[in-house]
Amino acid sequence: MKKEEIKREIISPDEKILVEFGIADTYSGFWIFLGIVILIISLIFIRELWLGLFLGLALIGYGFYLKSAYFYFLTEKRAIYYFRFFHTQLTSVDYQKITDLNVRENFLEKIFFASGDLAINTAGTQREEIILKHVANPHNLKIKLNEIKSSIKSKSETE
């Protein structure tokens, strides 16, 4: 299923997408690059060719999997996490229900990929509702999400 089909399926006609994104290109690209490097090295140096081919192709496949399985949307009404591979998981949270946003960046991801996770929490649950994994510039995304929340709140107060 292509991204446009996914949007038609999960976004209502009266809803406008403000931001759409997925796994950071630098993060998924790293796995693809590493797979290619391992393939080249295995072709040149390793006697057990099948092991290098398997590992290289697995890493390349993982990089493409990351890009094709995770989709994140910020609409004018809600934040949406959509995952599809062998199963589908759709989680959405209305902006009014968001209580806090947590940015998590481990050292390597922050330094090499400029990516991290953004966790969205709502009241009434002990765990985060949505974790946007390996997104580019999670602090900027948090700021954008807070801006959207503020504009939604100010619109509802004026009405």
Side-chain angles (χ1 to χ4, degrees):
M1 184 183 298
K2 295 186 184 205
K3 193 175 196 176
E4 294 303 317
E5 293 172 3
I6 292 169
K7 289 193 288 191
R8 278 195 301 273
E9 182 180 301
I10 65 173
I11 306 296
S12 63
D14 63 332
E15 197 170 16
K16 179 183 170 192
I17 296 174
L18 303 174
V19 182
E20 61 181 83
F21 54 100
I23 301 293
D25 290 336
T26 53
Y27 186 78
S28 62
F30 166 77
W31 295 109
I32 294 169
F33 175 75
L34 184 61
I36 292 169
V37 168
I38 289 174
L39 278 176
I40 292 169
I41 289 172
S42 68
L43 289 172
I44 297 171
F45 297 110
I46 299 178
R47 290 181 187 256
E48 296 293 328
L49 183 63
W50 66 270
L51 182 62
L53 287 175
F54 176 75
L55 182 58
L57 291 174
L59 290 174
I60 292 169
Y62 179 66
F64 283 111
Y65 153 79
L66 289 173
K67 292 302 290 178
S68 63
Y70 292 91
F71 299 93
Y72 310 130
F73 302 97
L74 301 179
T75 71
E76 57 192 5
K77 297 179 181 181
R78 59 193 172 136
I80 302 169
Y81 164 91
Y82 185 81
F83 170 83
R84 66 170 170 89
F85 196 60
F86 289 120
H87 73 281
T88 300
Q89 179 182 352
L90 171 66
T91 306
S92 69
V93 174
D94 292 337
Y95 294 124
Q96 295 88 354
K97 297 184 180 184
I98 295 174
T99 56
D100 58 287
L101 302 167
N102 300 312
V103 173
R104 297 187 195 123
E105 295 175 303
N106 70 41
F107 178 74
L108 294 176
E109 261 189 276
K110 181 178 182 177
I111 297 299
F112 294 114
F113 310 123
S115 69
D117 300 343
L118 178 65
I120 300 173
N121 198 8
T122 61
T125 61
Q126 292 183 350
R127 61 176 182 82
E128 288 101 358
E129 288 296 314
I130 298 176
I131 300 175
L132 307 176
K133 299 176 183 181
H134 310 294
V135 295
N137 303 313
H139 289 285
N140 292 345
L141 186 59
K142 179 181 178 185
I143 291 167
K144 179 70 174 168
L145 191 55
N146 279 326
E147 288 172 359
I148 294 170
K149 278 181 54 180
S150 296
S151 70
I152 298 293
K153 186 177 180 181
S154 64
K155 279 184 186 178
S156 66
E157 288 175 353
T158 58
E159 292 176 355

